[in-house]
Amino acid sequence: DKGDYEYFMLKEIYEQPKTIEETFRGRLKSDYSEIVLGGLMNVFPKIEAAQRIIIIGCGTSWHAALIAEYMMEEYARVPVEVEYASEFRYRKPVINSNDVVILISQSGETADTLAALHLAKEKGATVIGICNVVGSTLARETDAGVYTHAGVEIGVASTKAFTAQVTVLTMIALKLARRKGTIDPEEYKALVKELAAIPEKGRAILEGNEHIKRIAEKYYEAVNALYLGRGYLFPVALEGALKLKEISYVHAEGYAAGEMKHGPIALVDDNLPVVVVAPQDDYYEKVVSNIQEIKARKGNVIAIVTEGDTGLKELANDVIEIPKSHPAVAPLLSVIPLQLLAYHIALLKGCNVDQPRNLAKSVTVE
Ligand code: M6R
């Protein structure tokens, strides 16, 4: 039931403050001292002992994996590899019984992800599933797992499942770091608190929907778009571009902002909207200089900025403000305006946002 919403996608975008909360509910202790993941209890010693962790998924789930790579390496100091399931399963990867393989899938039925699971299992790795659909094949065939509690996702474009996946991965990364003693206890607590504050900040972002719609009205006729971000926000740039291309059929590319000079800058002219995820974090100065380079070539910059950033308001053509947050949890916030931007652009172009052409909700064949 779509309720008051015109499309499931919009409903699901709006549900995110609630679904993120559902996903960490009962798993974060109220004094932020502990994270409880019952489903992983038996395998945590294995995760702790792992020489490396391999995270596998497709599409949006693969983007969630990339965010986890950054977080697990930063805080839990364990090497992480992220793989497309479709590549992993065919490329004769080296896997052994000390490896922990995490498979991410909203549906738990994606054919390539299940094949990757079977391969990892065959090689003796510990296999962990993160999925949204209760009782799905992935949930049944993994050694252990954590459900995302996003509720049924109907829109083909994944939105609330993505933020729920990132929420689960954040909890796993922080718990692992705490157990290994690789994170300062105060920082751990601060980060758990930051995660708990996401739903409220998400609500504030959703209040900007009309503003985002007006930005969409300015740019919806563009035939290409570029999305840039650095650090934890590089995967968010990839996800923003995927959302736009799948539902509005506008060609969009996501890039690490630092890679711009190595090719994509050649595309910049006054017809190219460039969405830059640019909150005030450690990368800020570098991202601002990327924006200057785009402006110097007459590109149109839509910047996702920290609330109250007056500097970028002047420099960029349009800004969308998001509340301040810790960089490691910033993806959960900055992806929301990108989902809304894609949604409005697709609507203006007359596309069926819930059921884009050529796509299936769950890719159960190769
Ligand atoms: O159910 P899964 O998470 O395994 O699905 C993976 C991809 O097919 C999925 O994320 C796809 O890329 C979405 N349409 C993205 O919005």
Side-chain angles (χ1 to χ4, degrees):
D1 178 25
K2 288 192 286 241
D4 293 337
Y5 295 96
E6 201 178 343
Y7 285 97
F8 280 108
M9 183 184 178
L10 188 64
K11 174 173 176 265
E12 290 162 0
I13 292 172
Y14 268 81
E15 278 173 346
Q16 289 176 109
K18 194 185 90 214
T19 51
I20 292 170
E21 200 162 352
E22 290 289 325
T23 300
F24 66 61
R25 187 203 300 283
R27 291 166 168 168
L28 302 185
K29 278 237 171 116
S30 58
D31 62 353
Y32 311 117
S33 63
E34 215 185 311
I35 296 168
V36 184
L37 297 168
L40 295 186
M41 214 148 66
N42 295 336
V43 293
F44 238 97
K46 279 255 167 93
I47 308 178
E48 237 177 289
Q51 297 299 303
R52 64 167 177 172
I53 294 175
I54 304 170
I55 316 181
I56 298 173
C58 302
T60 288
S61 297
W62 183 78
H63 296 154
L66 285 178
I67 294 170
E69 174 184 20
Y70 281 60
M71 200 173 312
M72 287 180 182
E73 293 209 344
E74 176 167 3
Y75 293 105
R77 308 306 298 155
V78 55
V80 175
E81 287 169 24
V82 174
E83 302 249 12
Y84 284 121
S86 57
E87 284 298 311
F88 180 84
R89 64 177 289 198
Y90 290 120
R91 72 169 183 78
K92 304 194 173 55
V94 179
I95 322 161
N96 59 57
S97 56
N98 295 324
D99 289 327
V100 165
V101 177
I102 302 178
L103 301 119
I104 309 177
S105 175
Q106 187 285 130
S107 60
E109 303 296 348
T110 299
D112 283 327
T113 308
L114 293 177
L117 157 69
H118 296 142
L119 177 62
K121 234 174 146 174
E122 208 174 278
K123 303 281 181 196
T126 301
V127 288
I128 294 170
I130 296 178
C131 64
N132 195 44
V133 176
V134 176
S136 59
T137 309
L138 183 66
R140 286 185 278 109
E141 297 190 3
T142 38
D143 297 322
V146 185
Y147 279 120
T148 48
H149 294 162
V152 180
E153 189 181 66
I154 292 178
V156 164
S158 185
T159 53
K160 63 176 181 171
F162 172 74
T163 45
Q165 289 165 345
V166 175
T167 301
V168 164
L169 290 159
T170 302
M171 290 190 287
I172 297 176
L174 292 178
K175 189 175 174 69
L176 181 59
R178 187 78 179 98
R179 285 178 65 132
K180 292 181 72 172
T182 48
I183 189 169
D184 170 74
E186 285 310 307
E187 186 166 20
Y188 168 83
K189 236 178 154 171
L191 262 159
V192 177
K193 209 169 166 178
E194 284 274 347
L195 179 62
I198 292 292
E200 201 186 315
K201 292 178 185 178
R203 278 181 204 109
I205 295 173
L206 292 168
E207 279 169 23
N209 182 38
E210 281 302 315
H211 170 64
I212 295 170
K213 187 175 168 189
R214 281 193 294 277
I215 296 176
E217 283 161 0
K218 274 171 79 173
Y219 298 105
Y220 78 98
E221 283 169 319
V223 289
N224 290 295
L226 187 59
Y227 286 70
L228 302 173
R230 284 182 188 252
Y232 287 102
L233 302 173
F234 158 49
V236 170
L238 297 178
E239 175 60 7
L242 176 60
K243 286 295 88 97
L244 186 69
K245 78 185 110 180
E246 64 179 338
I247 61 170
S248 73
Y249 321 137
V250 173
H251 168 241
E253 279 195 67
Y255 248 89
E259 275 291 299
M260 204 178 69
K261 285 201 180 95
H262 301 281
I265 198 164
L267 295 169
V268 178
D269 62 16
D270 56 1
N271 289 317
L272 186 76
V274 185
V275 179
V276 188
V277 193
Q280 285 162 335
D281 57 16
D282 289 348
Y283 294 105
Y284 183 68
E285 301 301 324
K286 293 207 178 304
V287 177
V288 170
S289 78
N290 291 137
I291 292 175
Q292 279 158 343
E293 287 155 5
I294 300 160
K295 290 298 301 175
R297 289 160 185 84
K298 302 198 165 49
N300 295 302
V301 172
I302 304 158
I304 313 298
V305 306
T306 304
E307 239 162 32
D309 182 336
T310 46
L312 278 185
K313 222 171 209 167
E314 277 183 23
L315 187 59
N317 299 68
D318 294 278
V319 299
I320 301 169
E321 293 188 315
I322 56 171
K324 196 167 176 47
S325 75
H326 190 291
V329 295
L332 290 167
L333 297 176
S334 49
V335 75
I336 298 174
L338 304 189
Q339 296 165 342
L340 284 170
L341 189 63
Y343 172 81
H344 289 299
I345 290 175
L347 267 196
L348 287 159
K349 294 180 76 86
C351 300
N352 180 343
V353 296
D354 283 341
Q355 280 184 310
R357 68 184 183 202
N358 309 340
L359 292 173
K361 179 63 185 161
S362 171
V363 184
T364 54
V365 290
E366 274 184 55

